[in-house]
């Protein structure tokens, strides 16, 4: 079994993220916390999730995002069998965009 991520340090990180109030603050924080490659990888996975929920093909997703089919498959597994984190955020973004 994998390492439990529910730790005080991860809780502190999430609490810190929840204090961010703008996209500019997110850039400032995440550029300090993550390497450029880590941030690009996270944003790529999120883009893959968005495209998978729009029923795009793996080929189309790979061409548009540069993600490998392994990454696309991993994100698809998270969408299907994960903790519904992607679904929660994508639903809230859709609601926000409808407003």
């Amino acid at each position: 079994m994998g390492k439990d991520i529910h730790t005080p340090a991860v809780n502190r990180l999430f609490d810190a993220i929840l204090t961010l109030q703008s996209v500019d603050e997110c850039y400032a924080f995440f550029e300090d916390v993550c390497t450029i490659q880590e941030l690009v990888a996270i944003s790529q996975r999120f883009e893959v999730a968005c495209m998978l929920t729009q029923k795009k093909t793996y080929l189309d997703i790979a061409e548009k995002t540069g993600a490998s089919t392994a990454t696309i498959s991993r994100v698809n597994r998270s969408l299907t069998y994960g903790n519904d984190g992607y679904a929660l955020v994508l639903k809230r973004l859709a609601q926000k965009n409808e407003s």
Side-chain angles (χ1 to χ4, degrees), residues 4 10 77 86 95:
D4 184 15
V10 173
R77 246 188 335 274
Y86 281 123
Q95 290 169 340

Side-chain angles (χ1 to χ4, degrees), residues 16-68:
I17 291 168
L18 290 170
T19 68
L20 300 172
Q21 296 180 3
S22 69
V23 172
D24 287 338
E25 287 183 4
C26 288
Y27 272 105
F29 181 74
F30 282 98
E31 285 180 20
D32 284 350
V33 171
C34 299
T35 65
I36 292 171
Q37 192 56 39
E38 289 167 336
L39 196 50
V40 167
I42 292 168
S43 63
Q44 181 187 64
R45 287 192 296 270
F46 186 69
E47 188 63 21
V48 167
C50 293
M51 295 179 77
L52 284 168
T53 60
Q54 297 167 354
K55 307 296 185 203
K56 303 289 185 187
T57 66
Y58 276 35
L59 180 60
D60 191 34
I61 295 168
E63 287 176 355
K64 289 203 168 94
T65 66
S68 68

Side-chain angles (χ1 to χ4, degrees), residues 49-98:
C50 293
M51 295 179 77
L52 284 168
T53 60
Q54 297 167 354
K55 307 296 185 203
K56 303 289 185 187
T57 66
Y58 276 35
L59 180 60
D60 191 34
I61 295 168
E63 287 176 355
K64 289 203 168 94
T65 66
S68 68
T69 55
T71 295
I72 298 167
S73 180
R74 191 174 321 116
V75 172
N76 194 41
R77 246 188 335 274
S78 291
L79 285 168
T80 305
Y81 303 110
N83 295 316
D84 294 327
Y86 281 123
L88 173 71
V89 170
L90 292 170
K91 179 181 175 185
R92 287 185 181 165
L93 285 173
Q95 290 169 340
K96 179 182 173 185
N97 291 335
E98 290 173 0

